[in-house]
Amino acid sequence: PIDSGTGANCHPGICVDNQDHVHIAYSANDQVLYSLNAEAPEVIAQTGSGYGNTAIQTDSLNQPWIVYYDNLSGEIKTIRDNGRTWETTVINDALDPGDSLELALDANDHAHIVYKDNATSTLNYAIVRDDYVFCDVIDTDVPESMNCGIKVRDDERVLVSYYDGMLNVADCTVTCLNHGDANLDGEITSEDAQIAFLVALGVVSPGFSQHCAADCNGDYEVTSGDAQQIFLVVFGLDSCIDELS
C-alpha cells in the first residue's frame, strides 16, 4: 500500500503521463498528498478537513496538476508542480463542494474544472489560463448528490457531463478573441489601450472576453505591452492577433 492511514474517505485521483509514470493525489488527515509511481507520498497542501475529493492530470511536460477543496479557506484550489515548487491558484469560493470535483487540461496546459457547490445548489465551470481565472455557472438547482465529468476535445471544445435526474452534456467552450477591443464596444480606440493598462496594473478586474480582448498579443497575460500595442493599433501602426469583426 502507498498509505495505510488514510481512512475510507480519502477520494484518490490517478492519471498516467505519456511516459507511463503513475501520478496519484488524495486528501487525508487534513492534508493533500501526492505520490509518483506508488512511492512514499509527500504532503503538498493543508486542507483543514480530514477528507475531500481530489482530481489530478499531467500537462505537456508531465508535471502534475491537482484540484482540491481547502476547508481552511473555503476555496477550490489548483496546485501544480512547475518544475521547481508547488504553485497554488485560487479558483473560487465553494462553501460545500461535496464530491463533484473534476479536472481536465487542454493542449495549452490550461486547466478546466467542474465542481458542485452544495451551498448554492449550482454546478460550476472554471478555466485557469496562467494567472487568470474565469468561473461560470453551468446549471442551477442541481441535487446535492451527483457526479460530473469534464473533457477537452482536440478542437478545444470543453464538454461537461452530469446527472441531475437525467444525463446532461453541457458545452462549456468559451472562445478567446485577442482583438484589442478591451471595452467590447465594437471599435478600437485609445480608451481600449487605457483599459488594458488598468487591467495590467490590477485596477480593473476583467471578465473572460474582456481579458482576451486586452491580451492583444495573445500570450495569455495582459501587460503594459498589450496596452501600448493597442494604442498603436488605433493609429494603424500595429495589429492584434485577431481582427475585430
Side-chain angles (χ1 to χ4, degrees):
I2 297 172
D3 189 339
S4 60
T6 62
N9 294 312
C10 72
H11 297 284
I14 186 171
C15 69
V16 179
D17 66 29
N18 59 25
Q19 295 183 346
D20 289 332
H21 297 307
V22 180
H23 303 257
I24 298 172
Y26 60 99
S27 294
N29 304 318
D30 302 342
Q31 299 168 327
V32 178
L33 300 99
Y34 165 74
S35 171
L36 176 63
N37 292 326
E39 297 176 354
E42 74 172 293
V43 176
I44 58 174
Q46 301 292 328
T47 65
S49 177
Y51 62 91
N53 196 30
T54 54
I56 183 170
Q57 296 290 337
T58 54
D59 62 21
S60 60
L61 298 176
N62 292 327
Q63 302 289 2
W65 282 68
I66 298 160
V67 61
Y68 68 99
Y69 177 62
D70 185 345
N71 192 58
L72 287 171
S73 62
E75 296 166 325
I76 301 289
K77 293 181 177 180
T78 61
I79 184 168
R80 72 182 185 96
D81 184 352
N82 63 15
R84 301 178 303 276
T85 186
W86 290 97
E87 180 179 299
T88 302
T89 301
V90 175
I91 304 303
N92 204 357
D93 295 338
L95 299 180
D96 182 6
D99 295 334
S100 301
L101 184 62
E102 298 295 338
L103 167 69
L105 299 179
D106 63 28
N108 294 309
D109 291 335
H110 297 149
H112 302 260
I113 300 159
V114 60
Y115 63 95
K116 165 76 188 310
D117 189 346
N118 287 332
T120 58
S121 299
T122 56
L123 185 66
N124 305 273
Y125 164 72
I127 177 173
V128 183
R129 300 171 72 242
D130 294 341
D131 294 330
Y132 179 73
V133 179
F134 167 75
C135 298
D136 198 9
V137 175
I138 300 173
D139 202 351
T140 59
D141 197 27
V142 293
E144 181 171 338
S145 179
M146 65 171 294
N147 293 313
C148 58
I150 185 169
K151 290 294 182 183
V152 182
R153 299 189 349 171
D154 290 341
D155 61 3
E156 298 297 305
R157 285 184 63 194
V158 181
L159 301 177
V160 170
S161 64
Y162 63 100
Y163 184 79
D164 64 353
M166 64 178 67
L167 184 62
N168 300 278
V169 176
D171 189 337
C172 296
T173 308
V174 286
T175 302
C176 188
L177 297 175
N178 310 108
H179 48 51
D181 180 18
N183 63 3
L184 306 177
D185 67 350
E187 58 181 347
I188 300 176
T189 67
S190 58
E191 182 180 342
D192 296 301
Q194 182 179 15
I195 291 174
F197 186 66
L198 293 176
V199 171
L201 293 177
V203 176
V204 171
S205 298
F208 183 80
S209 296
Q210 190 176 27
H211 186 275
C212 290
D215 178 21
C216 183
N217 63 10
D219 66 352
Y220 306 117
E221 61 179 341
V222 179
T223 68
S224 58
D226 292 297
Q228 182 178 13
Q229 189 171 353
I230 293 171
F231 188 74
L232 294 175
V233 171
V234 174
F235 293 97
L237 300 175
D238 205 338
S239 60
C240 293
I241 293 296
D242 297 310
E243 291 186 6
L244 181 62
S245 58

